[in-house]
Amino acid sequence: AQRVTQPEKLLSVFKGAPVELKCNYSYSGSPELFWYVQYSRQRLQLLLRHISRESIKGFTADLNKGETSFHLKKPFAQEEDSAMYYCALWDIGNEKLTFGTGTRLTIIP
Amino acid sequence: EAGVVQSPRYKIIEKKQPVAFWCNPISGHNTLYWYRQNLGQGPELLIRYENEEAVDDSQLPKDRFSAERLKGVDSTLKIQPAELGDSAVYLCASSSRQENTGELFFGEGSRLTVL
């Protein structure tokens, strides 16, 4: 069974400091991984996906198959980054998206 | 473009009462999902529809939960009777099967409180 683990429920970072939100997964096939974000009073939305290998709002995430990780990083945190972040794994065969428990990121001014 | 629309946004009921949630997906999206999100947890899949067919309902507690998508567009999720443990946010999401990318578009959710 697939599983997504986000070990940190809460993370506080000072503005301008680097951010890293951790995500580990277990999956028997070739994974497709995503980061979703939910800003205050907004709906859950896609932030980025590993296959596109792009930077969104300054965030990047690299898939490390050896460590089964997909950590989200940003070199300089901004106040508008405060939100709930969910790592998710897409099961292509079953078309099922499995979420982690989420990390609440708070940027301290 | 209108996003996924859900109603009601909030619902407070007493245990053993019935409740229903409605979802209108993005136009043209064949795939519709219902997720449940308990406090402090990530969303968990309840049921997935391809057009009007429920293709994955393995996580739906069928003794009290039911869902339908009669014309392959709007969907309704029902709980009867509700229990205290059903308090959660119920999220509807849709996606385009042609793209099959894993990008789901979510509604704002329906927050249920069972007293």
Side-chain angles (χ1 to χ4, degrees):
Chain A
Q2 59 202 64
R3 179 185 288 271
V4 178
T5 303
Q6 293 181 251
E8 304 142 327
K9 277 202 171 295
L10 303 171
L11 182 64
S12 295
V13 174
F14 283 101
K15 178 182 173 181
V19 174
E20 182 178 48
L21 286 78
K22 292 184 169 52
C23 173
N24 290 90
Y25 67 90
S26 63
Y27 183 61
S28 56
S30 183
E32 289 196 27
L33 286 148
F34 301 78
W35 278 97
Y36 277 75
V37 62
Q38 187 167 25
Y39 300 103
S40 179
R41 295 189 176 87
Q42 294 188 27
R43 63 189 69 198
L44 190 60
Q45 59 187 290
L46 178 67
L47 178 63
L48 57 80
R49 66 191 84 190
H50 91 268
I51 57 173
S52 61
R53 304 182 70 83
E54 58 189 347
S55 173
I56 304 293
K57 298 184 178 183
F59 284 98
T60 59
D62 291 320
L63 178 61
N64 185 324
K65 292 187 178 180
E67 296 183 356
T68 60
S69 68
F70 188 57
H71 303 328
L72 183 68
K73 300 178 183 179
K74 183 170 183 177
F76 306 104
Q78 299 172 290
E79 289 185 59
E80 55 264 34
D81 297 330
S82 294
M84 277 294 296
Y85 291 81
Y86 295 94
C87 184
L89 187 151
W90 176 246
D91 182 336
I92 297 174
N94 295 318
E95 295 187 44
K96 179 177 178 178
L97 193 63
T98 299
F99 288 89
T101 52
T103 297
R104 180 174 296 281
L105 176 65
T106 301
I107 306 303
I108 304 167
Chain B
E1 178 185 309
V4 176
V5 179
Q6 291 188 244
S7 69
R9 290 291 313 281
Y10 304 92
K11 189 74 175 180
I12 301 174
I13 61 172
E14 294 189 344
K15 63 181 180 181
K16 301 185 181 180
Q17 294 299 306
V19 63
F21 306 110
W22 174 81
C23 173
N24 179 245
I26 291 173
S27 177
H29 280 189
N30 313 84
T31 309
L32 184 146
Y33 305 79
W34 283 103
Y35 280 83
R36 177 169 60 186
Q37 185 172 21
N38 293 310
L39 189 64
Q41 301 294 317
E44 295 177 330
L45 180 68
L46 290 174
I47 189 169
R48 174 171 69 92
Y49 281 93
E50 290 296 339
N51 298 306
E52 65 274 12
E53 181 183 359
V55 295
D56 183 358
D57 63 355
S58 57
Q59 301 303 310
L60 189 72
K62 297 181 184 61
D63 56 337
R64 298 182 299 107
F65 286 66
S66 64
E68 59 184 17
R69 194 185 184 198
L70 293 176
K71 297 183 179 179
V73 180
D74 295 1
S75 178
T76 303
L77 177 70
K78 298 178 181 178
I79 309 174
Q80 181 172 11
E83 297 179 352
L84 294 176
D86 296 331
S87 294
V89 176
Y90 291 84
L91 295 168
C92 180
S94 69
S95 68
S96 170
R97 195 167 198 281
Q98 282 81 3
E99 296 181 7
N100 195 18
T101 61
E103 180 176 7
L104 274 56
F105 295 84
F106 284 86
E108 293 179 295
S110 294
R111 182 179 296 276
L112 173 66
T113 301
V114 182
L115 303 176

